[in-house]
Structures are given as C-alpha cells and as structure tokens.
Amino acid sequence: AEAQRLERDAACAAARSTELKGRSEAAAAAVGEASGRASAARDACESARRAVQKTEGRITALVELRRSLAGRDEASAWMRAHAKDFDAQAFAVSSCIKVPQELEALVEQLLADDLAALCATSPERACAIATALSDARVEGAASVLIASDACERPAVDGRLLDRIEYPAALSAAMESLLGDVVLVPSFDEAAAHAAQGDSRLRFATSDGFVVRPGAKVSFGSGADARTGLLARERELVALQSALEEERGVLGAAENDLAEADRALESAKAESHELSQAYARSEGEAESARADLGRARARIVSNESALSAVAADLSDALEKLAAVRPEMDRLADASQACRERRAQLEERRAAASAAREAAF
C-alpha cells in the first residue's frame, strides 16, 4: 500500500513537473518575443528621435541663416536688433507671404530687399523706426513697409499678385510693390502686351523677363528655387509642420517603447517564477522517485527474505516428513513402555501386598 501511494505521488510529481516545464518553456519563448518587440520599439523610437533631431537641426540652420542675412550690413543688423523696441508687432514680410514655387524666383527678383524688410503696424511706428535708424548713424540701407489693408485693386486679369497669398495687413504694401505686374507666358507675349498695353503695368514671365512699356526691359535669373529666401521660408514652414508630426510620432514611439519594456519585464518575471516553480517541482519529483525507489528496494529485500524463510520452512517440513515415521514408531514404543510400566507397577503392588500378608 505504501509503495502504491508513493508511486501515485511520484506520478503526480512527474506530471506537475512536465506541466511546469512546458509553461516555463512557453514563458521563455514569450520573453524572446517580448524582447524582440521591445528591440523593435527601441529602434523605432531611436529612428523617430533622429528624425526630430534632424528636422530641429535644419530649422535651427534656416533660422540662423535668416538671422545672418537679416543682419547683412549695419543698418539691417540695427533693424533686427532694435525695430521691435518701437513696434512690438512688426513682422518680416518674407515670413508672411506664400508664393507658388515656380514664381518664387520672379517675386524675389521684383521685391528685392523689400522681401526681407520689416512691416510696421502704422505709419507713425514706421517713421519712428526710420528716425531711430538715422540717428544711429550706421552704414547700409534698410526699408520699412507700412501695414494697411486699405487699397484699390485694379481690374486687370492675370496679375501676379492674384497668385500670392498674404495677410490683409500687407494689402496696401503688396499692391504698391507688385500690383502693376501682369503674368504672361513668354517674353514675346510680354513685349507684345507692352507695345499695346497700359504704360502703368509691367508684364513679366515666370523665368524672369520683366517689361515696363516704354521704359525698361529687364531679366534676372532670380534666386535659386531651392535656396532663395522664399524657398527657405517655405521649407521652414514645412519643417515646422513636419516637426510637429515627428514629435507626435516620437511621443507615440516612446509610449510604445515604455509599454514594450513593461511587457518584457512582466514576461521576464513570469518566466523567472515559472522557472523556479519548475526547479522546485523537478526536485519534488526526484525526491518522490527516490522514495519510490527505496520502497521498491525494501519490497525486493523483503521478498528475498520471505523467499528464504519459505525455503527454510519447506526444508523443515521435508525433514519433519522424513522423521515422522520414526517419531510415530517411538511414540508407539513409548506408549508400549508406559503400558508395560503400568502392568509392572500393578504386579509389584500385588507382590508387596502378598508379602505383607505372609508376615
């Protein structure tokens, strides 16, 4: 019974150990998968961080380039440093207008230095800035545009200004600077329009030809479409928008990484716990097997001893069977002797009684 109990215990311990081994192996595999996901999340997070850093670096470079170009001479540098002391709301023209990429070079050619100028919010503040600049006695030249939305728009088709987006505060200034420019497809057409058109208009092509009727024909290759001021401003706006998206991607990647790390730590903890449980169950199973082995050894030993006793008993029975006839004969002889003795005792008693009677 004890051996059967120990055998059941050993079987249960082995089954438990096998179950825990399977769970431990599955947990170890889960750790590997979680580690892979955490590694992928870490790579994605690092990639997103590099993208943000790259965009931030490019934005910093563009802002620094804008700063250096804005301070190309003493007057420009003074304007950048002090203009907002007189008009806190003054703004750079180049950062407020949006020009189709194919027209950027032409607009830069036409606006020239006015593109990089500041726009004051009132004539009084513009005059205050100009007066302070004059009093500073610095070298160079600078201009200040005046913000105003009061202007007349001539009824002319194909104006360059109609292709440009700008705030209402720049309406008057932009009409004054570019309101007379009409876009035409080619230089020949510009020349033809100039020959028969209004002398108050200029006819321009996107590749840089500008014709003022009866006055001047000019051509300029304009700024590089990739490196001009408007191109840089366009890139800066695009980069700032991209930076917001990239920061969102980075935030999501950081959240994913944190979640993946938590999942990995949880998987490691579970794997460690199951590994320890498996080690304990394996020890218990080994102990149960050892107890069962000792019990079986005792059974074998007891069975050997029992066999020896049975053999001795069989030998004794055989010997007993061999001497039983002699024992029976001796028993009969003993019984005859007792009977003979009893007879002799009776005869002696009779003889004694006769002798006494004779005397």
Side-chain angles (χ1 to χ4, degrees), residues 2 16 21 52 59 65 98 116 161 187 189 227 343 359:
E2 181 184 2
R16 175 64 174 165
K21 180 181 180 181
V52 167
I59 289 174
L65 181 58
K98 185 176 180 181
L161 205 54
F187 173 68
E189 192 166 342
T227 60
Q343 292 173 358
F359 291 100

Side-chain angles (χ1 to χ4, degrees), residues 140-213:
S143 58
V144 182
L145 302 186
I146 300 172
S148 173
D149 57 3
C151 65
E152 294 184 4
R153 296 177 180 271
V156 178
D157 293 333
R159 293 198 312 156
L160 172 63
L161 205 54
D162 295 336
R163 302 283 302 279
I164 301 174
E165 296 178 20
Y166 50 88
L170 275 177
S171 295
M174 294 298 286
E175 282 291 344
S176 174
L177 296 171
L178 297 177
D180 62 334
V181 179
V182 177
L183 276 174
V184 294
S186 66
F187 173 68
D188 290 340
E189 192 166 342
H193 278 290
Q196 59 186 2
D198 190 336
S199 61
R200 292 172 301 177
L201 300 178
R202 289 179 288 171
F203 299 92
T205 64
S206 60
D207 56 359
F209 284 103
V210 181
V211 180
R212 183 183 292 277

Side-chain angles (χ1 to χ4, degrees), residues 2 27 50 98 150 181 192 194 229-230 233 281 290 296 298 346:
E2 181 184 2
R50 285 196 299 269
K98 185 176 180 181
V181 179
L229 178 56
L230 289 175
E233 292 296 335
S281 70
R296 285 174 173 170
R298 287 196 300 272
E346 290 177 357

Side-chain angles (χ1 to χ4, degrees), residues 66-333:
R66 176 202 282 172
R67 183 182 295 111
S68 65
L69 292 175
R72 60 189 179 279
D73 56 34
E74 291 182 356
S76 299
W78 186 95
M79 287 283 287
R80 177 172 180 78
H82 302 289
K84 290 203 172 185
D85 295 340
F86 301 91
D87 188 351
Q89 302 302 316
F91 56 90
V93 174
S94 62
S95 63
C96 296
I97 66 175
K98 185 176 180 181
V99 180
Q101 186 172 348
E102 68 274 11
L103 297 177
E104 286 176 351
L106 175 62
V107 171
E108 291 199 25
Q109 174 188 335
L110 292 170
L111 290 179
D113 290 343
D114 289 333
L115 184 60
L118 286 177
C119 184
T121 56
S122 69
E124 295 76 17
R125 289 173 178 172
C127 290
I129 294 171
T131 300
L133 175 59
S134 176
D135 292 342
R137 299 183 181 281
V138 295
E139 295 182 357
S143 58
V144 182
L145 302 186
I146 300 172
S148 173
D149 57 3
C151 65
E152 294 184 4
R153 296 177 180 271
V156 178
D157 293 333
R159 293 198 312 156
L160 172 63
L161 205 54
D162 295 336
R163 302 283 302 279
I164 301 174
E165 296 178 20
Y166 50 88
L170 275 177
S171 295
M174 294 298 286
E175 282 291 344
S176 174
L177 296 171
L178 297 177
D180 62 334
V181 179
V182 177
L183 276 174
V184 294
S186 66
F187 173 68
D188 290 340
E189 192 166 342
H193 278 290
Q196 59 186 2
D198 190 336
S199 61
R200 292 172 301 177
L201 300 178
R202 289 179 288 171
F203 299 92
T205 64
S206 60
D207 56 359
F209 284 103
V210 181
V211 180
R212 183 183 292 277
K216 182 174 68 172
V217 175
S218 62
F219 171 75
S221 60
D224 190 310
R226 296 166 299 173
T227 60
L229 178 56
L230 289 175
R232 291 195 298 272
E233 292 296 335
R234 172 168 46 79
E235 182 184 4
L236 189 58
V237 170
L239 286 172
Q240 288 168 340
S241 176
L243 181 60
E244 291 302 314
E245 294 181 6
E246 289 169 353
R247 283 174 173 167
V249 171
L250 175 58
E254 288 175 338
N255 290 336
D256 290 344
L257 176 58
E259 181 63 28
D261 282 340
R262 285 193 294 270
L264 176 59
E265 291 305 315
S266 176
K268 284 182 177 179
E270 183 178 2
S271 177
H272 179 68
E273 181 179 351
L274 286 172
S275 177
Q276 288 186 324
Y278 169 61
R280 289 193 299 270
S281 70
E282 186 64 17
E284 292 170 358
E286 184 62 30
S287 176
R289 285 192 292 270
D291 290 343
L292 179 60
R294 286 190 291 271
R296 285 174 173 170
R298 287 196 300 272
I299 290 173
V300 171
S301 176
N302 291 339
E303 287 177 345
S304 298
L306 183 60
S307 296
V309 170
D312 291 342
L313 177 60
S314 177
D315 185 59
L317 290 174
E318 289 178 359
K319 290 180 179 179
L320 180 61
V323 299
R324 181 168 296 279
E326 181 64 18
M327 290 175 64
D328 291 342
R329 187 188 64 79
L330 291 175
D332 292 342

